[in-house]
Amino acid sequence: MEPLTQTPTLEPTKAIAPQDRCDACQAKAFYLVQFPYGDLLFCNHHFLKHEEALLEKATDIFDESDFIVE
């Protein structure tokens, strides 16, 4: 019988919680934008308004806009 080997634990992924709000207007956040100096949350409207600048400076972007219900 072979000894059990420990499998690596997966790191939790960032998620946007239902209560998270846009840092610009307090609407429901659908984007978490990470920068070297901190994170910002954006609603769809404000992310799209500033998308070009955010894409240039962000280190990572978590996009949950697939959950937008019209």
Side-chain angles (χ1 to χ4, degrees), residues 15-26:
I16 300 171
Q19 67 272 17
D20 286 338
R21 299 289 172 218
C22 175
D23 288 316
C25 71
Q26 297 304 306

Side-chain angles (χ1 to χ4, degrees), residues 30-41:
F30 290 100
Y31 295 89
L32 170 62
V33 182
Q34 294 183 314
F35 301 95
Y37 44 82
D39 301 344
L40 289 173
L41 292 162

Side-chain angles (χ1 to χ4, degrees), residues 40-60:
L40 289 173
L41 292 162
F42 290 96
C43 65
N44 192 56
H45 165 79
H46 282 106
F47 178 82
L48 295 176
K49 181 177 179 181
H50 302 289
E51 183 175 13
E52 187 175 324
L54 294 171
L55 292 173
E56 288 177 12
K57 298 178 193 261
T59 57
D60 208 352

